[in-house]
Amino acid sequence: MSQAHESLENLLHEERCFAPGIEFAASANAQPEIYERAERDPLAFWQAQARELTWEQPWSAVLEWDMPYAKWFVGGKLNASVNALDRHVGQGRGDRVAFYFEGEPGDTQTITYAQLLMEVKKAANALTEIGITAGDRVAIYMPMIPEAAIAMLACARIGAPHSVVFGGFSADALLSRIQDADAKLVITADGGFRKGAAFALKPAVDEALKGKHNVEKVLVVARTKQETAWSDRDIWWHEIVDRQPLEHVAQSFDSEHPLFILYTSGTTAKPKGIFHTTGGYLTQVAYTHKVVFDIKAESDVYWCTADVGWITGHSYIVYGPLINGTTQVMYEGTPDTPHKGRIFEIIAKYGVTILYTAPTLIRTWMKWGDEFPCAHDLTTLRLLGSVGEPINPEAWMWYREIIGGNRCPIVDTWWQTETGAIMISPLPGITATKPGSAMGVLPGISAQVVDDSAKPVGNGRGGFLILDKPWPSMLRGIWGEDDRYKQTYWSRFEGIYFAGDGAKLDEDGAIWLLGRVDDVMNVSGHRISTTEVESALVSHEAVAEAAVVGAADAMTGQGIVAFVILRGGIAHADGEALLVELRNHVAKQIGPIAKPRQILIVNELPKTRSGKIMRRLLKDVAEDRQVGDATTLADPNVMKLIAAGLQSAKDED
Ligand code: PRX
């Protein structure tokens, strides 16, 4: 592959564009002047955002930048939990609902800000009794229940950085994260409810703690009340938390005090402990939550469907929304339990106005069919968000029409665990949006699409997405791995942050994310993004979801192999004719160069637990190899099913 041709081809073209509604625009939190204000003086702009928080002591400098180390709001002191809770209660908003919790079995809880604060204070007192002090690391391994947020906020309240480990991870994954962060305490639950049954969590903690570690205690929430093995190390949450004093005076911490570590699993290497601090992180999550979701705290009911085990749950369930005094829905279970309309039923039940979810769920809904959303009243919705993967234009259109009733602006938000908060997104009252595009950088942020030598590619071209100025919620490093931090993010382009995504600018300068550059295919010397071919496939009416990989090809270097899931109601029957049609459809949409060599119809795709497609495994199948490490798959059986399906197709040939 020649270096000169490193940048990505710009293949797909999109003509559709949706301007914000006049009424929405008139009352939007962000008005057009915001771009100019941020551009004129970015540091003054961030300073103004930081002033929206409650600080015990003001900062002496906005930013100290010693590449690649940033300090924001230097010398300032604040407490994250006070910002999320105490100030609402103190200002008379204690009766506002913070969470409508919906358990999978149908149990519910309504928790006001005053109640949430009381629970967090008690939990903070309990942590102190256990011996946790500022700086100690606490691992949190929980289902999606209110105690997960309470535990995080209690840690933040006493300055103990939390390390939330997604409740679906294995004992081994938990142990390696406990070890890496050297956690002193694990907070967990006996189990949770998922897919119509109770699952156990505590046994995984017990299993993990057979390894080497410095964990002194395990705090256990009784969620399912199932039989649970017990040792001297274990303490029931209700036994210690319920008897604590209701008062807890929070101490303020330095703006750069560690708030949390969150591990991102690389596909093969050891997970990276992405490390975030307090003042800058809280500033950017609160600001982005306010302007991107246009939160009107008095009237909106906001629902982010992520799990607290991911960065989206940290930034847009716990910290951003609570700082903004938002009323939210929290749901424990899966979207298809007890039926495929569960999410829509909950939207109707609570009158959800803002929904923030992932393309993988949107495409799953498309696959299930329109009858599920159509059976529920979704007219309270006024804004829709997407995160986690590129959203294909057709999935975007479906989201707009079927979920949003053609009324709701869509914000496609690009960011990462490392960036801590949203970086690229439309602003809903300002930006005219194109289906599938994250549109532009947010006010205060600087990003570029560059070629191999870090030169901006200009409109109409593709390349690498880089962030060329520090931002408040940026990671402060990889926990305990300084060289890896520099190597991973700051070495591809000297002194510039690059975390692996390809992007293109269209003729109008709108940004289109093209997936991870590691996934880029090279077909006859053309660098083609998997996202664009997938989007072309999904734009065919028969296709709900597609994953594309480049497989070694003697003629072309790589050949495009596509795995597609058909939409609900479309039969496999006329398979051969459909495959020809799909190949021609791609050729027509983006050109003959992108025509898949082979298309395989499958029922499922291999996804990580956060919904990202693991193309590496599909590549193994496409290249007829033994499938590699599949331990991070949400459903480990998927690869077997795909391989079996392919085998039977071969047998029929
Ligand atoms: O490849 C990008 C993709 O998800 C990556 C970050 O993943 P994670 O750290 O798990 O955080 C997910 C939630 C923020 C990015 O490098 N990604 C995220 N959002 C988008 C996206 N790709 C395209 N469009 C998005 N809106």
Side-chain angles (χ1 to χ4, degrees), residues 312 387-390 412-417 501 513 516 612:
T312 310
V387 62
E389 272 201 293
D412 173 14
T413 62
W414 179 89
W415 58 295
Q416 308 175 298
T417 306
D501 282 346
L513 278 310
R516 312 286 301 168
K612 294 193 203 313

Side-chain angles (χ1 to χ4, degrees), residues 53-350:
L53 301 179
T54 300
W55 297 77
E56 188 187 282
Q57 183 176 302
W59 51 90
S60 51
V62 182
L63 169 67
E64 257 176 44
W65 177 229
D66 180 11
M67 202 284 298
Y69 301 100
K71 287 185 181 162
W72 282 86
F73 312 113
V74 186
K77 283 191 188 315
L78 77 172
N79 183 291
S81 145
V82 166
N83 273 281
L85 302 171
D86 303 56
R87 62 181 192 147
H88 300 304
V89 177
Q91 292 166 13
R93 295 188 289 276
D95 290 339
R96 184 182 292 166
V97 173
F99 286 111
Y100 290 113
F101 170 70
E102 186 84 10
E104 199 190 75
D107 59 316
T108 61
Q109 288 179 51
T110 299
I111 306 170
T112 64
Y113 272 86
Q115 289 166 332
L116 190 60
L117 174 58
M118 191 176 73
E119 292 307 319
V120 169
K121 284 179 170 177
K122 288 194 296 182
N125 285 326
L127 295 181
T128 305
E129 182 184 318
I130 291 169
I132 304 299
T133 57
D136 288 341
R137 271 83 61 204
V138 175
I140 298 179
Y141 183 63
M142 303 269 262
M144 269 302 280
I145 54 175
E147 285 84 352
I150 293 168
M152 290 164 74
L153 290 162
C155 288
R157 195 168 183 90
I158 63 168
H162 51 70
S163 161
V164 183
V165 179
F166 174 59
F169 279 139
S170 66
D172 283 354
L174 175 62
L175 176 63
S176 67
R177 287 159 174 78
I178 286 173
Q179 289 170 332
D180 191 81
D182 194 16
K184 194 168 164 186
L185 172 74
V186 180
I187 308 181
T188 187
D190 51 358
F193 294 98
R194 210 184 128 76
K195 291 201 179 289
F199 67 91
L201 265 185
K202 172 74 168 31
V205 177
D206 294 342
E207 181 62 31
L209 295 186
K210 286 181 186 158
K212 204 171 157 339
H213 60 82
N214 291 315
V215 171
E216 292 169 9
K217 294 284 175 204
V218 177
L219 193 51
V220 189
V221 174
R223 166 66 182 141
T224 60
K225 318 274 189 322
Q226 62 198 296
E227 265 311 297
T228 303
W230 209 249
S231 80
D232 290 349
R233 192 173 54 204
D234 303 332
I235 310 173
W236 284 113
W237 172 281
H238 56 270
E239 285 182 1
I240 189 165
V241 172
D242 288 358
R243 62 173 170 73
Q244 295 298 321
L246 304 184
E247 247 335 302
H248 178 275
V249 180
Q251 187 195 335
S252 288
F253 296 99
D254 193 273
S255 178
E256 285 298 330
H257 186 79
L259 183 62
F260 65 85
I261 305 166
L262 183 60
Y263 288 85
T264 59
S265 26
T267 37
T268 47
K270 166 173 177 279
K272 301 187 282 280
I274 305 301
F275 163 44
H276 284 283
T277 59
T278 310
Y281 172 80
L282 296 181
T283 297
Q284 194 174 331
V285 295
Y287 151 69
T288 49
H289 183 253
K290 189 172 71 189
V291 297
V292 172
F293 300 106
D294 192 48
I295 287 294
K296 307 281 194 279
E298 308 74 37
S299 51
D300 276 319
V301 179
Y302 162 90
W303 185 10
C304 165
T305 64
D307 188 283
V308 286
W310 310 121
I311 190 68
T312 310
H314 284 56
S315 302
Y316 297 107
I317 296 177
V318 177
Y319 292 107
L322 293 177
I323 288 175
N324 289 333
T326 309
T327 295
Q328 313 188 55
V329 170
M330 178 190 269
Y331 173 54
E332 178 185 30
T334 49
D336 54 351
T337 308
H339 55 76
K340 294 186 169 120
R342 184 74 190 261
I343 301 288
F344 313 117
E345 186 179 73
I346 297 173
I347 291 172
K349 175 173 175 184
Y350 294 106

